[in-house]
Amino acid sequence: MTDRISVRGLRARGRHGVLAAERELGQEFVVDVTLLLDTAPAAAGDDLGKTVDYGELAQDLVKVVEGEPVNLIETLAQRLADVCLAREAVRTAEVSVHKPAAPIPLPFDDVVVTITRSRS
């Protein structure tokens, strides 16, 4: 059985991007993560230690977004997936990074990169 825990719409300011202005000014990024894991052991013992503390996870994800800048949101997504997979219970992580203020000179709603990573 595989269960899911999701955190959606997590917002943080970062300085990621290829353009100098993106690095200088920064912008808001929005992160969605879905974790695949077995929550039955946690539920059976009502034990947070056997699942994922999503509050702690959210704080760790924000630290990555606010941290060292990268050129590509693909790279940022990989770093966020690594944070998710560092949790022992997590088997697979799907991470979406939204860049709603991407420097595109046309009307648009959002730019999103979504990756899925699993434990080896």
Side-chain angles (χ1 to χ4, degrees), residues 7-61:
V7 176
R8 302 225 180 272
L10 184 64
R11 289 168 166 58
R13 191 160 184 83
R15 297 179 179 274
H16 311 287
V18 175
L19 302 178
E22 293 178 292
R23 296 289 182 109
E24 247 180 72
L25 302 173
Q27 61 190 287
E28 182 180 71
F29 292 84
V30 181
V31 174
D32 302 323
V33 298
T34 297
L35 312 176
L36 294 134
L37 66 157
D38 182 2
T39 63
D46 199 26
D47 185 353
L48 179 60
K50 294 183 179 178
T51 187
V52 173
D53 180 335
Y54 45 81
E56 182 181 281
L57 173 66
Q59 290 176 2
D60 291 346
L61 294 170

Side-chain angles (χ1 to χ4, degrees), residues 17-114:
V18 175
L19 302 178
E22 293 178 292
R23 296 289 182 109
E24 247 180 72
L25 302 173
Q27 61 190 287
E28 182 180 71
F29 292 84
V30 181
V31 174
D32 302 323
V33 298
T34 297
L35 312 176
L36 294 134
L37 66 157
D38 182 2
T39 63
D46 199 26
D47 185 353
L48 179 60
K50 294 183 179 178
T51 187
V52 173
D53 180 335
Y54 45 81
E56 182 181 281
L57 173 66
Q59 290 176 2
D60 291 346
L61 294 170
V62 165
K63 286 178 190 174
V64 172
V65 174
E66 293 176 343
E68 180 186 349
V70 296
N71 289 331
L72 304 177
I73 57 176
E74 292 86 344
T75 305
L76 180 58
Q78 181 62 56
R79 289 183 178 180
L80 295 167
D82 292 342
V83 167
C84 295
L85 291 171
R87 270 68 184 170
E88 187 177 334
V90 177
R91 295 179 184 160
T92 300
E94 180 181 272
V95 176
S96 295
V97 177
H98 302 255
K99 192 174 180 180
I104 298 173
L106 299 165
F108 73 100
D109 289 332
D110 200 2
V111 171
V112 184
V113 169
T114 300

